[in-house]
């Protein structure tokens, strides 16, 4: 009875494992299998956003894996396959976006912000150190003590 309960509890896990392996293609050439693995690992799943296509269970990831396989069978190069995926899904589909004006701005904003913050902090500290408090004159001290006594 317990083994039947354990089997029922494991059934969803077995179904999920079968779904993940649904599109694992077999290659006669080990180099083609390695190339397929490399390509699906370097492409990001558009739905999961933090998984590569090889590890994702999403339907779109399965479609991308199928398309990668088809393009490889057609004789497309790795660059052609990646370009095809970029054209279809955008630059987000790759983990290594090319250096463009937009990405350069993104990469430059953080270090520039830190540098501006450091310069501001140094200027603030220097200004505080240079601001000397002059001692009160005798008549100012008397006025100050008078105000204290009135309270």
């Amino acid at each position: 009875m317990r083994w039947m309960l354990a089997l029922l509890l494991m059934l969803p896990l077995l179904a999920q494992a079968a779904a993940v392996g649904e599109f694992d293609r077999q290659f006669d050439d080990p180099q083609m299998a390695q190339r397929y693995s490399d390509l699906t690992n370097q492409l990001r799943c558009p739905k999961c956003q933090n998984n590569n296509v090889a590890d994702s269970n999403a339907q779109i990831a399965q479609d991308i894996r199928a398309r990668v396989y088809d393009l490889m069978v057609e004789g497309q190069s790795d660059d052609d396959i990646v370009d095809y995926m970029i054209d279809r899904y955008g630059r987000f589909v790759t983990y290594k976006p090319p250096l463009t004006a937009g990405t350069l701005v993104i990469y430059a904003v953080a270090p520039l912000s830190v540098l501006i913050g450091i310069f501001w902090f140094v200027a603030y500290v220097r200004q505080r150190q240079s601001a000397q408090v002059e001692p009160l004159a005798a008549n100012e001290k008397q006025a100050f003590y008078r105000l204290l006594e009135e309270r």
Side-chain angles (χ1 to χ4, degrees):
M1 184 70 167
R2 287 186 181 180
W3 66 272
M4 287 178 65
L5 180 61
L7 183 63
L8 285 174
L9 291 174
M10 291 179 62
L11 196 58
L13 295 174
L14 294 173
Q16 184 178 11
V20 169
E22 181 179 321
F23 188 74
D24 289 335
R25 298 286 183 168
Q26 299 297 323
F27 292 93
D28 295 332
D29 184 12
Q31 289 178 338
M32 287 287 280
Q34 182 61 42
R35 190 173 151 219
Y36 174 79
S37 175
D38 291 344
L39 279 169
T40 55
N41 279 314
Q42 81 180 39
L43 294 173
R44 184 188 321 229
C45 176
K47 182 176 182 184
C48 303
Q49 297 184 3
N50 213 13
N51 285 352
N52 57 29
V53 172
D55 296 336
S56 176
N57 302 357
Q59 182 64 43
I60 193 165
Q62 293 173 9
D63 293 343
I64 290 173
R65 287 193 301 261
R67 191 63 185 142
V68 166
Y69 177 80
D70 292 341
L71 291 171
M72 285 177 65
V73 169
E74 290 175 11
Q76 298 284 330
S77 71
D78 291 357
D79 291 336
D80 292 339
I81 294 171
V82 171
D83 289 343
Y84 172 84
M85 295 298 168
I86 289 172
D87 289 343
R88 183 161 180 126
Y89 299 104
R91 293 193 190 283
F92 178 79
V93 80
T94 61
Y95 280 108
K96 298 176 186 174
L99 189 62
T100 63
T103 55
L104 190 60
V105 168
I106 291 171
Y107 294 144
V109 166
L112 285 176
S113 298
V114 169
L115 287 175
I116 289 170
I118 289 170
F119 285 129
W120 176 83
F121 181 74
V122 168
Y124 176 77
V125 168
R126 284 185 178 175
Q127 184 234 352
R128 295 275 302 189
Q129 287 175 347
S130 67
Q132 296 293 328
V133 178
E134 295 181 20
L136 295 175
N139 63 349
E140 292 173 332
K141 281 184 187 179
Q142 288 174 358
F144 175 72
Y145 287 131
R146 238 181 297 132
L147 285 173
L148 284 176
E149 289 173 7
E150 289 175 7
R151 289 194 169 220

